[in-house]
Amino acid sequence: MCFGTGDGWPCVGRGHASFLYGLGGTSLLVDCGEPIDSRFKSTGLSYDTFDAILLSHLHADHVGGLFMLLQGCWLEGRRKPLPIYLPSRAIPALRRMLRTVFIFDELLPFELQLRPWPAKGAVRVRGARVSVFPTSHLNGFRAHFARKYRVDFRAYCLLLEGGGLRVGHSADLGQPADLEPLLQKPLDLLVCELAHFAPEALFSFLGGRKVKRVVFVHLSRTNWENLDQVRRLAKRLLPDIPHTFARDGEHIRI
């Protein structure tokens, strides 16, 4: 389910990046852009639904709703443990921020587990396997600010496997080539951003790839305002790959 398909700019009618995946009996929430808490509450789903939160990187449009979602889990009585996977150097800062906004461990009726993404390999969440691959999305920030700010500049794309499915989730990229690790084997679904490079570059890169379906999300303001033109371009450059441009609240079934 697409909770937020907007880009990093203020969006009218689109929330920021957040997606709920169901893979067999496992549910994974990828990123927590605001207003994820109100969007999740509106579904009527239990706050025990998702088995883990996966944070691709620490840009505000991908984590800005996390604190309210955790407060929602507390007040709505979530019970089962909640692992949150994120870049490792961000964990101490997140712990401090949770205490600053009064989300204390003692108040939570569930165990909150902050876990680092592995340097190599994958993590298991119930019946699902999650692999992460570095992207170049934050390389520019790292080059300009790493000497001054001791923060985690890593960003990842994700491969989700479970229930007999292989799903690629781009999160934010620096270039289309960042997708290459996800495309080494056929994908049942690729959920891919379209904010940080020209549509022609991405569509040309994906042409001929073994992907059963692509869902484009996180469109830049310009691409969103010119969606009909972008659709025509995608139809011309991706004639053999079914594709859609998602809106908030949309359910994508594989």
Side-chain angles (χ1 to χ4, degrees):
M1 183 173 181
C2 301
F3 287 119
T5 60
D7 66 346
W9 290 73
C11 297
V12 177
R14 293 190 294 162
H16 296 292
S18 191
F19 304 87
L20 182 65
Y21 288 93
L23 300 171
T26 304
S27 293
L28 303 170
L29 184 63
V30 177
D31 287 334
C32 288
E34 59 89 29
I36 175 57
D37 188 51
S38 64
R39 294 279 173 88
F40 187 84
K41 178 64 177 177
S42 70
T43 67
L45 293 170
S46 165
Y47 278 74
D48 277 307
T49 296
F50 46 93
D51 296 297
I53 295 174
L54 315 177
L55 299 180
S56 63
H57 65 293
L58 279 303
H59 261 146
D61 57 313
H62 291 254
V63 301
L66 176 63
F67 299 106
M68 269 308 304
L69 180 64
L70 292 178
Q71 183 163 308
C73 289
W74 159 29
L75 298 176
E76 293 286 345
R78 180 186 173 96
R79 294 295 175 183
K80 67 183 183 183
L82 177 55
I84 301 178
Y85 290 90
L86 70 160
S88 60
R89 287 180 60 184
I91 290 176
L94 179 55
R95 284 201 175 105
R96 289 193 297 271
M97 189 63 191
L98 288 169
R99 295 172 189 142
T100 301
V101 298
F102 308 109
I103 300 179
F104 303 131
D105 287 341
E106 293 86 350
L107 296 175
L108 302 180
F110 59 93
E111 182 185 0
L112 181 62
Q113 305 167 349
L114 303 183
R115 299 181 177 178
W117 285 120
K120 294 182 180 179
V123 299
R124 288 273 181 185
V125 181
R126 295 190 62 193
R129 185 175 188 267
V130 182
S131 305
V132 290
F133 303 95
T135 74
S136 59
H137 174 59
L138 288 173
N139 285 3
F141 270 51
R142 181 184 291 108
H144 283 90
F145 299 112
R147 290 186 178 181
K148 182 175 182 180
Y149 296 105
R150 307 292 291 178
V151 297
D152 201 317
F153 289 97
R154 283 172 290 188
Y156 300 98
C157 58
L158 290 74
L159 176 64
L160 314 175
E161 299 173 278
L165 298 172
R166 288 174 51 86
V167 177
H169 184 92
S170 74
D172 283 5
L173 307 171
Q175 56 185 336
D178 289 340
L179 291 170
E180 197 64 54
L182 302 182
L183 301 170
Q184 294 302 301
K185 295 181 181 180
L187 291 177
D188 295 289
L189 175 68
L190 173 63
V191 177
C192 190
E193 67 112 326
L194 189 49
H196 297 99
F197 28 72
E200 294 92 336
L202 179 61
F203 300 158
S204 298
F205 178 82
L206 291 175
R209 300 287 187 160
K210 294 181 179 180
V211 181
K212 291 183 179 179
R213 184 178 182 185
V214 180
V215 175
F216 293 107
V217 298
H218 205 71
L219 272 68
S220 68
R221 181 181 293 181
T222 298
N223 288 335
W224 188 251
E225 291 173 348
N226 296 281
L227 185 55
D228 288 342
Q229 179 181 340
V230 175
R231 280 190 173 125
R232 289 193 295 269
L233 182 64
K235 185 176 181 180
R236 178 166 63 84
L237 296 179
L238 296 171
D240 299 321
I241 301 179
H243 54 271
T244 55
F245 295 83
R247 297 178 180 272
D248 287 17
E250 190 168 348
H251 292 254
I252 309 296
R253 300 193 182 278
I254 310 173

